Amino acid sequence: MNLPAGPEHSPREAHDIDADQIKVWFRFVPREGWLPQDTEGLWARRLGPDTARVDNVPFLQDGVAEGDTVRFRTDDDGLHWAVERVAASDNCTVRVLPVPSGPLGRDARAVHERLAGFGLTGEVFSKEFPLLALTVPGGADLRGVKELLVRGQDEGWWHFEVPCSTETWREA
């Protein structure tokens, strides 16, 4: 789990690291009462001239998970903008925000330790805003993950949401 860094917010900061790894940008309408960003850049591995596999978990974009394949369009500035998801992985995206007054406090590492046994990986937005964006692998104990997430919310450890799920997740 990469704890120190949060996402980049400005598409003008985008740049390609190598020929195959690119940043794919997503546009969305900000949610009321949530973070004010209207774009999010996700690292992706180029698969073709206009497709890439997402290589990290989204903090803000709904409907996409690490491992999904997206189609993108490159603008005149060389920025790659997502157009659609063309293939879903078996992964789900879960976001967990610790309750500051709860038993785990604002400790993102403590939250991750509770969930790590299920093979979840992800990132923390920032120390000031300890939102965890987690990838739940398709082969994980999905029922166990869901039960722990609900128990943690019921016991005041955290709030959570599942902005990208699979049929297997919904049936677990």
Side-chain angles (χ1 to χ4, degrees):
M1 176 166 181
N2 302 327
L3 290 175
E8 295 177 30
H9 301 295
S10 169
R12 299 294 168 217
E13 296 172 13
H15 64 281
D16 295 356
I17 291 180
D18 63 38
D20 292 330
Q21 192 171 38
I22 61 173
K23 180 118 353 166
V24 175
W25 290 92
F26 293 78
R27 286 188 178 107
F28 49 86
V29 176
R31 296 189 316 198
E32 188 172 326
W34 193 236
L35 298 167
Q37 285 79 13
D38 63 357
T39 62
E40 181 174 19
L42 299 176
W43 290 111
R45 179 74 45 193
R46 186 188 292 270
L47 300 176
D50 67 346
T51 57
R53 184 188 66 242
V54 175
D55 281 344
N56 67 295
V57 61
F59 283 97
L60 304 171
Q61 178 63 40
D62 292 345
V64 67
E66 183 176 2
D68 289 356
T69 300
V70 296
R71 185 171 320 285
F72 63 86
R73 193 164 300 145
T74 305
D75 70 14
D76 292 340
D77 294 326
L79 299 175
H80 311 296
W81 291 97
V83 175
E84 63 181 332
R85 182 171 76 161
V86 294
S89 65
D90 287 336
N91 298 330
C92 300
T93 300
V94 173
R95 297 184 192 123
V96 181
L97 183 64
V99 174
S101 61
L104 305 178
R106 297 172 49 84
D107 189 348
R109 193 171 299 276
V111 172
H112 183 257
E113 287 172 1
R114 294 269 196 278
L115 296 163
F118 294 103
L120 280 60
T121 59
E123 299 178 53
V124 174
F125 190 84
S126 70
K127 185 175 181 169
E128 297 75 29
F129 186 59
L131 173 69
L132 287 87
L134 301 167
T135 296
V136 181
D141 173 6
L142 301 181
R143 181 179 307 279
V145 172
K146 288 172 78 170
E147 287 173 356
L148 182 56
L149 287 169
V150 169
R151 187 177 102 214
Q153 184 162 285
D154 290 348
E155 294 180 9
W157 300 350
W158 54 59
H159 301 287
F160 78 93
E161 66 179 10
V162 183
C164 185
S165 66
T166 62
E167 184 175 333
T168 306
W169 170 271
R170 291 184 291 276
E171 292 175 357

